Amino acid sequence: MTTEATLTSTSASPTARQVWTRARGIALALVVLLAGAVAIAVVRSDARHGELDPRSADPGGSRAVAELLADRGVDTRVVTTLDEAATAAGPDTTLLVAAPDLLTPTQQTRLHNAFADSHGRTVLVASGSASIERLAPGVTADPATSLDSTLSPDCALPAARRAGTADTGGVRYTTTHLGADACYPSERLATLLRIPDGTGDGDTIALGAPDILLNDHLDEQGNASLALQLLGSRPHLVWYLPSLSDTSAANPDDERSFFDLLPSGWLWGTLQLFIAAALAALWRARRLGPLVPEKLPVAIRASETAEGRARLYRKTDARDRAADALRSTTRTRLAPLVGVPVTQAHTPEALLPALSAHLHGDGQDQQSLLFGPPPSDDAALIALADRLDALEREVRRP
C-alpha cells in the first residue's frame, strides 16, 4: 500500500487543468477559423445569386441581356432539368446551354438527340472537351484556351461582322464541317463556331466564353450586339441551367470511380510531393549530430527517476531489462572493491575469479547471480534484488 501511494503521489500524468491550459490556444484558433469560414460563406451566399443566370443582376449574372431581348419581343424561360430543355427544343426556339460540361455523358447524348432535328438554334456556352464532341459531333475543343479575351470576327458570319470585336476569347474549337463559320480566331483556332444542321433552318453555335452574356461585360466592345443577334434570332429563348438536383443525372452507366474524379495531373503531383518529402527528410537528417547535454530547468531526485523506470518496466513486464539493470549496476560497484577495472566489470572471466578470491567461496553461485538468466516472475525478481544487495554488503564488510 505504501509503494502504491508513493507511485501515485509522484505520477507525472497531466491533470485535466494542465491539458486544458496547453490546448486552449489551439482550441481558440480552431473556433476563430470556423467562425470566419461560416461568416464568409454567409456573406458570399447573400452576394451571389447565380453565375450566368438571366434572373440575376450580379456582375456574373445575365439579367441585362434578358431584359434587352424582352424589349425586342423575345421571351426568356429558365429551365433546370434535362426533360424541360429537351421538350422546349423547336424551330422557333433558341436553346442556350449555360454549362455543358456539368452534364453527364448520357445527358449530353439525350440533349443532342433532342435538338438535332428540331431545326432551331442551340448555343453551347464554353463547352469543353468533356461535352463538345457529344453535343456537336465533328467539333473538337483545344486543350489550350485563348490568351486574349477581345478578338476580331475575321469571318463572313453576318452577326459577327455587324458586332465587330467582342470578348469571345476562351475555349478554342476546330471542326470537320465544311459549311461551318469559324469566327473570332485565336492563333488560327475559332472561339465561335456556327455549324448548320444541313437543312438550312437550324444551327448549333459553340461560344468559347460567356463574357458577352455577363452583366459587367455586356456594354464592352460589341458584346451586346453579338449576344442579341445570337440569342434573338427566334421569338423564344430557353435558358438551360444544369442542376445537380436533376434526376436524369443519376444514371448507373455514368458512374465513375474515385480516380476518375481526380484531376488528370494527380499522379505527377503525388510524385512531386513524394520527392519533396524525401529531399526534406535528407536535409533534416544531415543536421543530426552528437548529443548535446542540456541543463534541466529543475532538479529531479534520483528516487523519482528510479520509480519512473520501475513503473515502465512493470507496465511492460520487462523483468529481463530490470534484472539486467540491477546486475549491471551491482557489477559496476563490485569491480573496484575486488581490484578489477571498471572496464572489465561485465566480463565474467575477470570479475568472478577476483570476487571468489575475496569471499573465499565457490564462484558458481556468484556466476548465476551476476550473469544468470532473467527471473521468471516478480517474486524471483525481488529475490534477485535481495541476493545482489546481500552480496554487495558481504563484499563491503571489513
Side-chain angles (χ1 to χ4, degrees):
M1 295 295 291
T2 304
T3 303
E4 293 296 333
T6 303
L7 293 179
T8 303
S9 63
T10 61
S11 174
S13 301
T15 62
R17 183 181 182 86
Q18 292 173 331
V19 172
W20 165 246
T21 302
R22 296 172 185 173
R24 62 185 177 183
I26 299 177
L28 180 61
L30 291 176
V31 171
V32 172
L33 288 176
L34 182 61
V38 172
I40 292 174
V42 170
V43 170
R44 288 188 175 182
S45 64
D46 292 339
R48 300 185 66 85
H49 302 288
E51 186 79 14
L52 210 63
D53 192 330
R55 300 164 298 187
S56 173
D58 292 340
S62 300
R63 184 174 177 179
V65 69
E67 294 289 343
L68 292 176
L69 288 171
D71 293 340
R72 287 159 175 75
V74 178
D75 65 277
T76 302
R77 181 165 65 96
V78 178
V79 298
T80 57
T81 65
L82 177 62
D83 293 337
E84 292 176 312
T87 304
D92 59 347
T93 301
T94 299
L95 173 63
L96 183 144
V97 185
D101 289 349
L102 293 181
L103 300 174
T104 64
T106 300
Q107 288 180 310
Q108 295 165 9
T109 302
R110 286 186 54 192
L111 184 62
H112 173 261
N113 294 336
F115 67 72
D117 300 326
S118 65
H119 306 299
R121 168 168 288 183
T122 304
V123 179
L124 307 175
V125 181
S127 180
S129 57
S131 60
I132 190 65
E133 294 181 9
R134 292 186 181 89
L135 294 174
V139 179
T140 304
D142 192 81
T145 58
S146 172
L147 297 178
D148 299 323
S149 60
T150 303
L151 301 171
S152 300
D154 195 17
C155 67
L157 184 66
R161 295 178 65 86
R162 285 192 291 266
T165 59
D167 293 328
T168 62
V171 184
R172 303 183 304 162
Y173 303 104
T174 57
T175 180
T176 58
H177 293 277
L178 298 179
D181 293 304
C183 301
Y184 298 97
S186 173
E187 297 182 1
R188 299 186 300 276
L189 296 182
T191 59
L192 187 150
L193 273 180
R194 176 186 173 273
I195 303 98
D197 62 2
T199 63
D201 298 328
D203 55 18
T204 299
I205 294 177
L207 181 63
D211 294 16
I212 67 171
L213 306 175
L214 303 181
N215 294 331
D216 59 344
H217 291 292
L218 190 63
D219 60 344
E220 300 173 359
Q221 315 301 331
N223 294 346
S225 174
L226 183 60
L228 294 178
Q229 293 182 80
L230 295 181
L231 304 183
S233 62
R234 287 160 175 78
H236 305 293
L237 171 62
V238 176
W239 202 294
Y240 179 26
L241 297 173
S243 172
L244 296 177
S245 61
D246 190 355
T247 57
S248 64
N251 192 321
D253 296 335
D254 294 333
E255 291 184 358
R256 293 180 289 178
S257 65
F258 172 77
F259 293 101
D260 293 333
L261 299 176
L262 294 177
S264 58
W266 71 271
L267 183 59
W268 290 109
T270 304
L271 180 60
Q272 291 175 4
L273 290 176
F274 177 77
I275 295 175
L279 292 176
L282 291 175
W283 169 66
R284 295 294 297 178
R286 292 185 60 189
R287 300 184 60 185
L288 297 179
L291 295 177
V292 178
E294 182 180 2
K295 186 178 180 180
L296 296 177
V298 294
I300 301 177
R301 292 182 298 177
S303 60
E304 293 183 2
T305 303
E307 290 173 359
R309 293 186 64 180
R311 283 195 297 269
L312 292 175
Y313 287 151
R314 182 180 180 183
K315 185 176 181 180
T316 58
D317 291 331
R319 285 184 292 270
D320 53 345
R321 292 182 176 272
D324 289 341
L326 292 173
R327 283 169 168 157
S328 177
T329 304
T330 302
R331 292 193 299 264
T332 302
R333 288 198 296 261
L334 288 178
L337 298 178
V338 297
V340 175
V342 177
T343 56
Q344 299 181 5
H346 307 295
T347 305
E349 293 79 5
L351 180 63
L352 292 178
L355 188 60
S356 299
H358 187 80
L359 296 177
H360 305 287
D362 185 10
Q364 189 67 29
D365 183 62
Q366 297 165 7
Q367 181 175 5
S368 63
L369 178 60
L370 294 173
F371 298 96
S376 58
D377 53 24
D378 291 345
L381 179 62
I382 295 174
L384 175 63
D386 293 339
R387 292 176 61 194
L388 291 172
D389 187 51
L391 176 62
E392 186 175 351
R393 286 198 305 269
E394 185 177 356
V395 173
R396 290 181 182 275
R397 186 181 303 162

